[in-house]
């Protein structure tokens, strides 16, 4: 699954760092209700020599939901250096990828579709005999996908302490599945369209921002929620700047919301990223209660609101820059 993972790393970063930290803080529980899962994280997942983090937790196609755990055979500090290095060479990136594998995935599908529909999304790389049904309820099925042969082959390439570490993670998977709960997905965004959001915060320079004034400036505003550590978020910054210029021509625009902007180190990193990528559209810091104002399950997540702050559509989850302008024009037409 390495080929698929390399694409995922470049285009679809989701929970990553944030959710892994969350799992430790809330009694080792990770709520992924949009994917129909409440995961009870074993100690073996929380105390690893390498980096182990969840990825996914959302719908990747109609009725198909995806979550995986990524294992990176490197210390946390090494991962952060690579993740924040926008000048990484192809050779360095290839070496980085050789140290990464997906020990297992959790897949969910509406019973109106077969497992082959999931495999189609993975380019036919999955082996059906490696998929075990772990829950069936109300027309929805969850699978554990674990390829023992591939895991053994990957572990054989690792040196101490990562080889032993990787096997410890695999040994904990049965307990992890048994302790977790699986159920039909619950949309995080149900009933959200039509809600009016209102908040006060500051911009990157500390100037006060009132959402009423912020949104009144545009017929439609794209609120792009990103973090300073998220590679796909960072990668789309130049394109967002171009999109903002085009949207300005139709009285619309982009606003960035730096989710980790309440951290001084992250703020400093973001300031450099904004300067390096020529970003001129407004970037604001997270207001109090941001998760209630803009629910999200991934980074980046982009909301669309009108001049009164009313949410016009469900958000776009992921760095899908080709969908942003289409969505703006669609909601404008509906208005």
């Amino acid at each position: 699954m390495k080929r698929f993972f390399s694409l995922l790393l470049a285009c679809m970063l989701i929970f990553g760092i944030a959710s892994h930290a969350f799992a430790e803080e809330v009694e080792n529980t990770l709520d992924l209700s949009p994917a129909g899962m409440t995961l009870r994280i074993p100690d073996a997942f929380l105390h690893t020599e390498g980096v182990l983090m969840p990825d996914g937790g959302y719908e990747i196609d109609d009725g198909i939901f995806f979550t995986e755990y990524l294992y990176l055979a490197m210390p946390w500090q090494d991962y952060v250096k690579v993740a924040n290095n926008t000048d990484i060479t192809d050779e360095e990136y290839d070496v980085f990828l050789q140290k990464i594998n997906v020990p297992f995935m959790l897949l969910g599908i509406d019973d109106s579709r077969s497992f082959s529909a999931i495999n189609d999304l993975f380019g036919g790389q999955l082996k059906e005999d490696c998929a075990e049904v772990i829950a069936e309820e109300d027309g929805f099925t969850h699978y554990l996908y674990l390829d023992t042969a591939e895991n053994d082959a990957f572990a054989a390439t690792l040196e101490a302490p990562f080889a032993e570490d990787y096997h410890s993670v695999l040994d904990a998977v049965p307990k992890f599945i048994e302790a977790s709960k699986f159920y039909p997905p619950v949309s995080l965004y149900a009933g959200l369209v039509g809600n009016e959001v209102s908040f006060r915060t500051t911009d990157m320079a500390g100037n006060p921002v009132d959402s009423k004034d912020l949104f009144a400036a545009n017929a439609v505003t794209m609120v792009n929620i990103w973090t300073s550590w998220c590679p796909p978020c960072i990668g789309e910054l130049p394109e967002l700047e171009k999109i903002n210029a085009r949207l300005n021509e139709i009285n619309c625009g982009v606003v960035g919301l730096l989710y980790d902007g309440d951290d001084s180190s992250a703020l400093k990193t973001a300031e450099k990223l904004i300067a390096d990528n020529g970003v001129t559209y407004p970037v604001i810091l997270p207001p109090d209660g941001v998760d209630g104002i803009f629910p999200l399950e991934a980074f980046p997540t982009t909301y669309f609101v009108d001049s009164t702050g009313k949410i016009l559509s469900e958000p776009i989850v992921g760095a899908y820059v080709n969908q942003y302008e289409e969505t703006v024009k669609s909601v404008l037409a509906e208005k």
Side-chain angles (χ1 to χ4, degrees):
M1 288 182 287
K2 284 188 178 181
R3 185 180 306 169
F4 177 78
F5 167 71
S6 65
L7 174 64
L8 193 72
L9 185 68
C11 303
M12 295 176 60
L13 181 70
I14 17 41
F15 292 99
I17 301 167
S19 60
H20 191 255
F22 175 78
E24 290 192 84
E25 294 171 1
V26 190
E27 298 181 348
N28 298 350
T29 298
L30 183 58
D31 180 11
L32 301 183
S33 52
M37 294 180 281
T38 302
L39 305 181
R40 184 73 176 181
I41 314 301
D43 287 344
F45 284 17
L46 296 172
H47 305 289
T48 54
E49 298 293 337
V51 177
L52 182 72
M53 61 185 182
D55 186 35
Y58 57 88
E59 191 172 25
I60 56 174
D61 196 40
D62 291 341
I64 298 178
F65 296 77
F66 157 89
T67 301
E68 68 180 359
Y69 262 81
L70 311 177
Y71 183 84
L72 297 83
M74 64 191 73
W76 176 259
Q77 296 86 341
D78 290 357
Y79 164 70
V80 172
K81 288 179 182 178
V82 174
N84 290 331
N85 183 5
T86 56
D87 297 321
I88 189 170
T89 66
D90 289 343
E91 183 178 355
E92 290 171 330
Y93 188 66
D94 287 341
V95 171
F96 174 67
L97 288 181
Q98 293 303 312
K99 297 181 179 180
I100 303 173
N101 202 46
V102 178
F104 66 92
M105 295 190 295
L106 301 170
L107 304 168
I109 187 168
D110 186 293
D111 284 353
S112 65
R113 308 183 72 181
S114 67
F115 183 83
S116 62
I118 300 177
N119 204 7
D120 288 344
L121 294 176
F122 285 76
Q125 295 183 65
L126 304 185
K127 305 171 187 175
E128 192 160 351
D129 60 356
C130 293
E132 174 191 354
V133 174
I134 53 176
E136 293 180 284
E137 183 181 348
D138 295 338
F140 196 86
T141 300
H142 280 95
Y143 296 89
L144 166 68
Y145 186 87
L146 192 154
D147 187 332
T148 300
E150 182 177 300
N151 280 322
D152 287 345
F154 175 71
T157 69
L158 303 179
E159 299 179 353
F162 301 112
E164 295 83 355
D165 194 38
Y166 192 77
H167 281 300
S168 295
V169 169
L170 293 173
D171 290 344
V173 170
K175 179 181 177 181
F176 166 65
I177 297 299
E178 183 180 357
S180 299
K181 296 180 180 179
F182 302 90
Y183 43 85
V186 179
S187 174
L188 188 66
Y189 312 113
L192 204 59
V193 176
N195 286 355
E196 289 190 8
V197 299
S198 178
F199 57 83
R200 294 177 184 273
T201 183
T202 65
D203 62 18
M204 298 282 287
N207 300 310
V209 174
D210 189 315
S211 64
K212 182 178 179 180
D213 300 327
L214 184 69
F215 297 138
N218 298 313
V220 175
T221 299
M222 278 178 48
V223 182
N224 179 260
I225 305 172
W226 64 294
T227 74
S228 64
W229 50 259
C230 163
C233 302
I234 297 166
E236 70 174 358
L237 290 177
E239 191 60 36
L240 287 174
E241 177 65 20
K242 297 176 185 177
I243 290 173
N244 181 61
R246 293 193 292 266
L247 290 181
N248 284 170
E249 297 177 0
I250 56 173
N251 193 32
C252 299
V254 177
V255 169
L257 192 161
L258 181 63
Y259 187 84
D260 58 344
D262 53 1
D263 177 84
S264 59
S265 177
L267 186 59
K268 185 175 181 180
T269 298
E271 288 172 344
K272 185 176 187 304
L273 290 169
I274 288 169
D276 290 348
N277 288 283
V279 172
T280 62
Y281 56 81
V283 178
I284 63 175
L285 304 188
D288 290 341
V290 63
D291 293 327
I293 299 169
F294 296 115
L296 74 163
E297 56 190 343
F299 300 108
T301 289
T302 301
Y303 277 86
F304 302 84
V305 301
D306 70 7
S307 59
T308 68
K310 183 170 69 176
I311 296 175
L312 298 172
S313 70
E314 290 196 357
I316 292 177
V317 180
Y320 296 107
V321 294
N322 62 320
Q323 297 181 18
Y324 294 150
E325 289 171 276
E326 293 178 8
T327 302
V328 170
K329 291 176 182 178
S330 175
V331 296
L332 270 177
E334 291 176 6
K335 284 169 63 64

